[in-house]
Amino acid sequence: RKLSYFLLIFLMSVTAFAEVISIGAVVPFIGIIIDTEKFSNYFLIKLIISYLNIPQDNIKVFFGAFFLFFVLISTILKTINNWYVAIISNLAGAEIGKETFKLILNQNYQFHLESNSNFFVSTLTKKIEICVKSISSLLILFLSLITLTTVILFFNVLYFQITMPIILIGFLSYF
């Protein structure tokens, strides 16, 4: 059981980084749409264009496909993540139900004569369904928290990496 939770955390982390890449690809994609000429003057873009031998009129199509590829990968990973959360939640619910049913069955004979087994089965089914939904909701909340934290940290680091030299130059030029 521990391995499946560690796998889920790993999958959540990969999904979070894929989300960062797909969000981070929005600005360059918009930059290409607005001004292809200016964007194609960057060294890395020139290198990619020359290496892949992309004609000037197909740059928008190429980078649009590149952007869509990252969005598609991110979406597929989120879908796989939700599927895996549902599997883990249902397995946990099955385990809880099995243990609870064992406890009911291990009661003495008199308990079973005096109680309504239909009531126990229906109540157990309802409560386990609520438990599975709660586990699933908590795992999805945890997934969202990991994704949001990763995105915020990444963009804050990127923001400070860009603005810190500007702030230092302004501060040092004051003296």
Side-chain angles (χ1 to χ4, degrees):
R1 191 72 56 207
K2 283 183 182 180
L3 180 65
S4 61
Y5 288 120
F6 285 125
L7 181 62
L8 180 64
I9 290 171
F10 174 74
L11 190 59
M12 286 178 177
S13 300
V14 170
T15 303
F17 284 114
E19 189 74 20
V20 165
I21 291 172
S22 68
I23 291 172
V26 170
V27 174
F29 178 65
I30 292 173
I32 288 176
I33 291 174
I34 292 172
D35 191 5
T36 307
E37 190 63 39
K38 180 180 176 186
F39 192 78
S40 60
N41 287 334
Y42 291 118
F43 174 74
L44 184 61
I45 302 302
K46 279 183 183 178
L47 189 67
I48 292 171
I49 291 171
S50 65
Y51 181 75
L52 296 175
N53 199 16
I54 301 170
Q56 189 68 23
D57 53 336
N58 288 342
I59 291 175
K60 288 181 183 179
V61 174
F62 174 75
F63 283 103
F66 198 67
F67 171 71
L68 287 177
F69 173 75
F70 280 122
V71 170
L72 184 66
I73 292 295
S74 176
T75 304
I76 288 170
L77 283 172
K78 282 189 267 186
T79 304
I80 290 170
N81 225 335
N82 288 336
W83 170 76
Y84 197 63
V85 163
I87 286 176
I88 287 178
S89 301
N90 287 326
L91 287 174
E95 193 171 312
I96 291 169
K98 186 175 80 173
E99 292 299 318
T100 309
F101 195 65
K102 250 192 237 182
L103 287 173
I104 292 172
L105 284 180
N106 288 332
Q107 297 293 321
N108 61 20
Y109 182 68
Q110 189 64 31
F111 173 80
H112 290 289
L113 287 177
E114 294 172 353
S115 64
N116 182 2
S117 63
N118 185 28
F119 171 75
F120 285 122
V121 170
S122 66
T123 303
L124 182 64
T125 303
K126 288 177 189 174
K127 298 296 181 184
I128 290 174
E129 184 178 332
I130 291 170
C131 185
V132 167
K133 287 180 182 177
S134 299
I135 292 170
S136 177
S137 296
L138 284 173
L139 288 175
I140 289 174
L141 178 67
F142 187 63
L143 164 68
S144 300
L145 186 64
I146 286 177
T147 303
L148 182 64
T149 304
T150 305
V151 169
I152 288 172
L153 284 175
F154 180 80
F155 285 112
N156 278 337
V157 167
L158 185 65
Y159 174 74
F160 284 118
Q161 213 173 21
I162 292 170
T163 59
M164 194 54 90
I166 296 169
I167 292 170
L168 285 175
I169 289 170
F171 182 72
L172 292 175
S173 67
Y174 180 72
F175 294 109

